[in-house]
Amino acid sequence: MLPPSSDDILYEVRGPKSWECMTSAELAGQLAMTDCAIVPVGAVEQHAGHLPLGQDNFQISEIVRRSVLQLAHENRHVIFGPTIPFGPVSNVRFAGCINIRPSTLAVLTKEVCLNLHRDGVNTIVLAMGHDLSLGALMVAARELTEETGDRLRVIVANWLPYVVSLLPQVFTDLPPGARDGHGGAGETARMLAQHPALVRMDLARDYHVAATRSATPFAHPVTAGGGVYIPRATTIRDEAFQGILGCPSLGTPEIGETLYDALSSWLSDIVREYCFGASESYNY
């Protein structure tokens, strides 16, 4: 590996500006046009040797960025909110993981949302970018609505069930019965499309786990649209597992663009329906 250089440009930040990138005056101008914001919620965790530790932050912020642009073209103004960069993670035997408790994430999320609400944001979409964060975000959303007397609406958007359905369609070369997940073809393709200089394909290694599905309806994980939640601190104990689940060798920038377009369009649909559509909804 070559030594790092101070002249290296690792990646560029594309517009529109997020909450962190705006000046206070610029943000005030945004708040004069809308009281809705999308907040990316990611994590810092290992993605084996070939993807950056901040993968989840990069990709959920990109999904939100594209969604904000899509909505702006329809004259639907939404603020690109600040990224919440940490969450609960598993497999901490790999270097670099920053693991926080779900209860800590719930409190952190509430604090961030209340600060946005103080400045005039009354509807917040929490765009979940890391599966283990889902429970904490749901708790935070419920408590915020109660504590503000419904003055603050908080919506949790989980795109993982959708991407699980997309992967077999875009990766037609997956081995029969194989799964693709953490650090695999999908995540690799998205990072190749977004920030290719951060990808070390020379360190990518496919790791195959046979995909099994119970005959019981919806007996798969909640994050993938099922009805079962089984938390584990270490998801795969096989020593040959190096943080990749799936086939990163199949990832291409072109497929990454396809996935980003689909996922950002899905998030835009959620915002249209729940932020600009019917004002009331019934939660089962």
Side-chain angles (χ1 to χ4, degrees), residues 130-146:
H130 173 66
D131 57 353
L132 296 185
S133 297
L134 180 60
L137 299 185
M138 293 169 68
V139 168
R142 179 65 190 180
E143 291 186 357
L144 283 165
T145 57
E146 291 183 350

Side-chain angles (χ1 to χ4, degrees), residues 34-50:
T34 184
D35 67 346
C36 179
I38 311 176
V39 174
V41 186
V44 175
E45 65 168 343
Q46 63 82 23
H47 285 78
H50 75 295

Side-chain angles (χ1 to χ4, degrees), residues 112-188:
V112 171
C113 290
L114 288 172
N115 275 274
L116 270 61
H117 185 45
R118 178 206 62 219
D119 283 342
V121 176
N122 297 316
T123 301
I124 296 174
V125 177
L126 297 173
M128 189 198 77
H130 173 66
D131 57 353
L132 296 185
S133 297
L134 180 60
L137 299 185
M138 293 169 68
V139 168
R142 179 65 190 180
E143 291 186 357
L144 283 165
T145 57
E146 291 183 350
E147 293 170 12
T148 63
D150 286 329
R151 292 186 302 277
L152 174 61
R153 298 176 66 232
V154 183
I155 299 141
V156 179
N158 169 23
W159 52 270
L160 290 179
Y162 182 39
V163 79
V164 167
S165 70
L166 284 176
L167 291 177
Q169 300 174 38
V170 297
F171 292 110
T172 56
D173 294 334
L174 278 173
R179 291 177 58 193
D180 190 75
H182 184 76
E187 288 199 299
T188 300

Side-chain angles (χ1 to χ4, degrees), residues 259-279:
L259 290 170
Y260 268 138
D261 285 344
L263 295 170
S264 58
S265 294
W266 178 86
L267 182 59
S268 296
D269 287 342
I270 297 300
V271 174
R272 289 187 196 96
E273 180 169 346
Y274 287 92
C275 301
F276 296 99
S279 60

